[in-house]
Protein backbone atom coordinates (compact mmCIF):
# COMPACT_ATOMS: atom_id res chain seq x y z
CA UNK A 1 0.00 0.00 0.00
CA UNK A 2 1.33 3.47 -0.81
CA UNK A 3 1.07 6.51 1.48
CA UNK A 4 -2.02 7.99 -0.18
CA UNK A 5 -3.87 4.66 -0.04
CA UNK A 6 -2.81 4.07 3.58
CA UNK A 7 -3.79 7.61 4.59
CA UNK A 8 -7.31 7.27 3.11
CA UNK A 9 -7.84 3.70 4.34
CA UNK A 10 -6.79 4.25 7.96
CA UNK A 11 -8.48 7.64 8.29
CA UNK A 12 -11.74 5.95 7.23
CA UNK A 13 -11.10 3.03 9.59
CA UNK A 14 -10.43 5.38 12.49
CA UNK A 15 -13.54 7.45 11.79
CA UNK A 16 -15.67 4.29 11.66
CA UNK A 17 -14.76 3.24 15.21
CA UNK A 18 -17.58 3.51 17.73
CA UNK A 19 -17.23 5.63 20.85
CA UNK A 20 -16.97 2.43 22.91
CA UNK A 21 -14.26 0.99 20.63
CA UNK A 22 -12.25 4.21 20.87
CA UNK A 23 -12.57 4.29 24.66
CA UNK A 24 -11.49 0.64 25.00
CA UNK A 25 -8.57 1.12 22.58
CA UNK A 26 -7.41 4.25 24.43
CA UNK A 27 -7.42 2.39 27.77
CA UNK A 28 -5.46 -0.50 26.22
CA UNK A 29 -2.91 1.93 24.73
CA UNK A 30 -2.55 3.58 28.15
CA UNK A 31 -1.85 0.15 29.71
CA UNK A 32 0.86 -0.51 27.09
CA UNK A 33 2.29 3.01 27.54
CA UNK A 34 2.64 2.49 31.30
CA UNK A 35 5.11 -0.35 30.64
CA UNK A 36 7.64 1.86 28.79
CA UNK A 37 11.01 2.61 30.39
CA UNK A 38 10.91 6.28 31.38
CA UNK A 39 14.31 6.35 33.06
CA UNK A 40 16.37 9.24 31.72
CA UNK A 41 13.33 11.00 30.24
CA UNK A 42 13.34 14.69 31.16
CA UNK A 43 11.31 16.12 28.28
CA UNK A 44 8.48 14.12 26.70
CA UNK A 45 6.83 15.66 23.66
CA UNK A 46 3.26 14.74 22.85
CA UNK A 47 0.32 15.98 20.85
CA UNK A 48 -3.25 16.67 21.90
CA UNK A 49 -5.78 14.67 19.88
CA UNK A 50 -8.00 16.07 17.16
CA UNK A 51 -11.32 14.71 18.40
CA UNK A 52 -13.11 14.81 15.04
CA UNK A 53 -10.36 12.59 13.58
CA UNK A 54 -10.63 10.04 16.41
CA UNK A 55 -6.94 10.40 17.30
CA UNK A 56 -5.50 8.47 20.23
CA UNK A 57 -6.42 10.22 23.50
CA UNK A 58 -3.02 11.42 24.67
CA UNK A 59 -4.67 13.34 27.51
CA UNK A 60 -4.92 9.97 29.31
CA UNK A 61 -1.18 9.47 28.87
CA UNK A 62 -0.41 13.00 30.05
CA UNK A 63 -2.59 12.56 33.13
CA UNK A 64 -0.83 9.28 33.99
CA UNK A 65 2.60 10.89 33.57
CA UNK A 66 1.67 13.88 35.73
CA UNK A 67 0.40 11.59 38.48
CA UNK A 68 3.13 8.94 38.37
CA UNK A 69 6.21 10.69 36.96
CA UNK A 70 5.80 14.40 37.77
CA UNK A 71 9.49 15.18 37.16
CA UNK A 72 9.02 14.57 33.41
CA UNK A 73 8.27 17.85 31.67
CA UNK A 74 5.58 17.58 29.02
CA UNK A 75 6.03 19.49 25.76
CA UNK A 76 3.51 20.47 23.06
CA UNK A 77 4.07 21.96 19.61
CA UNK A 78 2.75 25.11 18.02
CA UNK A 79 2.41 25.04 14.23
CA UNK A 80 3.84 27.65 11.89
CA UNK A 81 1.46 27.05 9.00
CA UNK A 82 3.39 29.26 6.58
CA UNK A 83 6.78 27.57 7.10
CA UNK A 84 5.31 24.10 7.82
CA UNK A 85 7.43 23.90 10.98
CA UNK A 86 6.80 23.40 14.67
CA UNK A 87 7.97 25.24 17.80
CA UNK A 88 7.85 23.42 21.13
CA UNK A 89 6.75 24.65 24.55
CA UNK A 90 6.56 23.17 28.05
CA UNK A 91 2.95 22.26 28.88
CA UNK A 92 2.21 23.02 32.51
CA UNK A 93 -0.55 24.57 34.64
CA UNK A 94 0.32 28.05 33.28
CA UNK A 95 0.09 27.11 29.60
CA UNK A 96 -2.66 28.83 27.64
CA UNK A 97 -4.03 26.57 24.91
CA UNK A 98 -5.91 27.51 21.74
CA UNK A 99 -7.20 25.59 18.71
CA UNK A 100 -5.65 26.33 15.31
CA UNK A 101 -7.38 26.27 11.92
CA UNK A 102 -6.86 22.48 11.60
CA UNK A 103 -8.53 21.74 14.93
CA UNK A 104 -5.21 21.11 16.70
CA UNK A 105 -5.00 22.29 20.31
CA UNK A 106 -1.69 24.10 20.79
CA UNK A 107 0.12 26.24 23.36
CA UNK A 108 -0.07 29.97 22.87
CA UNK A 109 3.60 30.30 23.87
CA UNK A 110 5.51 29.79 27.09
CA UNK A 111 8.86 28.23 27.94
CA UNK A 112 10.34 27.12 24.60
CA UNK A 113 12.20 23.81 24.31
CA UNK A 114 14.69 23.05 21.54
CA UNK A 115 14.29 19.82 19.56
CA UNK A 116 17.69 18.54 20.79
CA UNK A 117 16.44 18.63 24.40
CA UNK A 118 13.61 16.14 23.81
CA UNK A 119 14.06 12.58 25.09
CA UNK A 120 10.83 10.94 23.90
CA UNK A 121 8.29 12.01 21.29
CA UNK A 122 4.78 10.57 20.98
CA UNK A 123 3.91 10.84 17.30
CA UNK A 124 0.48 11.02 15.67
CA UNK A 125 0.05 8.85 12.61
CA UNK A 126 -2.51 7.24 10.36
CA UNK A 127 -0.52 4.12 9.44
CA UNK A 128 2.85 2.45 10.05
CA UNK A 129 4.65 -0.59 8.74
CA UNK A 130 6.81 -3.40 10.11
CA UNK A 131 9.99 -1.43 9.35
CA UNK A 132 8.92 1.59 11.43
CA UNK A 133 7.86 3.84 8.56
CA UNK A 134 4.84 6.03 9.30
CA UNK A 135 2.17 7.88 7.37
CA UNK A 136 0.82 11.12 8.78
CA UNK A 137 -1.51 13.68 7.26
CA UNK A 138 0.97 14.48 4.50
CA UNK A 139 2.20 17.99 5.32
CA UNK A 140 5.65 16.90 6.55
CA UNK A 141 5.56 18.84 9.84
CA UNK A 142 6.73 15.88 11.91
CA UNK A 143 9.42 14.71 9.46
CA UNK A 144 10.97 18.21 9.50
CA UNK A 145 10.68 18.31 13.30
CA UNK A 146 12.13 14.82 13.88
CA UNK A 147 15.07 15.51 11.56
CA UNK A 148 16.21 18.23 14.01
CA UNK A 149 16.15 15.97 17.08
CA UNK A 150 19.03 14.04 18.64
CA UNK A 151 19.68 10.67 17.04
CA UNK A 152 18.91 8.91 20.33
CA UNK A 153 15.47 10.48 20.89
CA UNK A 154 12.79 7.81 21.33
CA UNK A 155 10.21 8.21 18.54
CA UNK A 156 7.01 6.41 19.57
CA UNK A 157 3.93 6.26 17.36
CA UNK A 158 0.40 5.72 18.65
CA UNK A 159 -2.18 3.75 16.66
CA UNK A 160 -5.42 1.85 17.11
CA UNK A 161 -4.40 -0.61 14.39
CA UNK A 162 -1.84 -3.25 13.43
CA UNK A 163 1.10 -2.31 11.15
CA UNK A 164 1.09 -2.74 7.40
CA UNK A 165 3.67 -5.13 5.97
CA UNK A 166 5.18 -2.32 3.90
CA UNK A 167 4.51 1.30 2.98
CA UNK A 168 5.71 1.24 -0.61
CA UNK A 169 6.63 4.83 -1.37
CA UNK A 170 8.83 5.97 1.53
CA UNK A 171 11.69 8.32 0.77
CA UNK A 172 14.85 9.72 2.37
CA UNK A 173 12.91 12.54 4.10
CA UNK A 174 10.77 10.10 6.10
CA UNK A 175 11.92 9.68 9.70
CA UNK A 176 11.31 6.20 11.07
CA UNK A 177 9.78 5.27 14.42
CA UNK A 178 11.63 3.40 17.17
CA UNK A 179 8.35 1.93 18.39
CA UNK A 180 4.60 2.11 17.95
CA UNK A 181 2.02 1.42 20.64
CA UNK A 182 -1.29 -0.12 19.67
CA UNK A 183 -3.91 -1.69 21.96
CA UNK A 184 -2.37 -5.17 21.74
CA UNK A 185 1.36 -4.53 22.03
CA UNK A 186 4.36 -2.26 21.59
CA UNK A 187 5.94 -2.82 18.19
CA UNK A 188 9.69 -2.13 18.24
CA UNK A 189 11.72 -1.32 15.13
Amino acid sequence: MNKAEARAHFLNMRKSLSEKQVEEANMAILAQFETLDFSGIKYLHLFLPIAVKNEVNTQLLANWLRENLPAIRLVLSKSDTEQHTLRHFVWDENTILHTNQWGITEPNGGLEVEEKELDMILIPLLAYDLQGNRVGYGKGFYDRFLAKCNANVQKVGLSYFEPLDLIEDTDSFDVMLNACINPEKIWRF
Side-chain angles (χ1 to χ4, degrees):
M1 195 176 287
N2 67 33
K3 289 179 188 178
E5 293 166 339
R7 191 172 288 120
H9 176 75
F10 284 97
L11 190 54
N12 285 333
M13 281 183 58
R14 206 164 63 189
K15 286 182 176 182
S16 73
L17 294 172
S18 71
E19 194 173 312
K20 182 180 181 192
Q21 288 173 311
V22 168
E23 184 178 328
E24 289 172 355
N26 280 319
M27 294 309 293
I29 288 170
L30 173 60
Q32 296 290 343
F33 178 75
E34 291 172 4
T35 69
L36 290 177
D37 179 6
F38 293 99
S39 58
I41 305 296
K42 294 180 184 116
Y43 288 99
L44 188 145
H45 182 285
L46 69 158
F47 61 95
L48 292 175
I50 303 172
V52 297
K53 294 193 176 185
N54 259 359
E55 289 187 334
V56 171
N57 184 356
T58 54
Q59 186 70 55
L60 293 172
L61 310 180
N63 292 345
W64 182 84
L65 286 165
R66 285 190 168 124
E67 185 175 321
N68 295 282
L69 298 164
I72 293 177
R73 305 211 52 198
L74 302 181
V75 178
L76 293 172
S77 291
K78 180 176 177 59
S79 305
D80 179 334
T81 56
E82 291 182 16
Q83 301 293 316
H84 288 121
T85 58
L86 300 171
R87 292 176 60 203
H88 317 284
F89 299 91
V90 168
W91 177 30
D92 60 23
E93 64 279 355
N94 299 315
T95 304
I96 297 169
L97 299 174
H98 74 280
T99 303
N100 73 13
Q101 73 262 30
W102 293 319
I104 300 168
T105 303
E106 302 180 318
N108 212 23
L111 177 62
E112 192 160 2
V113 178
E114 295 296 320
E115 292 88 351
K116 300 271 187 218
E117 295 180 77
L118 301 170
D119 304 298
M120 181 181 285
I121 303 169
L122 302 183
I123 302 171
L125 54 83
L126 289 165
Y128 63 108
D129 69 16
L130 292 171
Q131 291 71 43
N133 296 299
R134 59 173 274 282
V135 175
Y137 292 107
K139 301 284 186 202
F141 279 85
Y142 266 79
D143 287 317
R144 281 187 282 285
F145 157 37
L146 296 170
K148 295 178 184 177
C149 295
N150 281 321
N152 60 350
V153 68
Q154 295 178 50
K155 300 174 291 293
V156 181
L158 302 172
S159 177
Y160 295 131
F161 307 109
E162 295 291 309
L164 296 167
D165 288 336
L166 179 68
I167 296 168
E168 298 164 358
D169 56 343
T170 58
D171 59 46
S172 61
F173 296 109
D174 295 329
V175 178
M176 297 173 72
L177 301 169
N178 299 105
C180 189
I181 302 172
N182 76 14
E184 287 78 41
K185 69 183 271 186
I186 300 174
W187 292 85
R188 300 197 187 273
F189 312 109

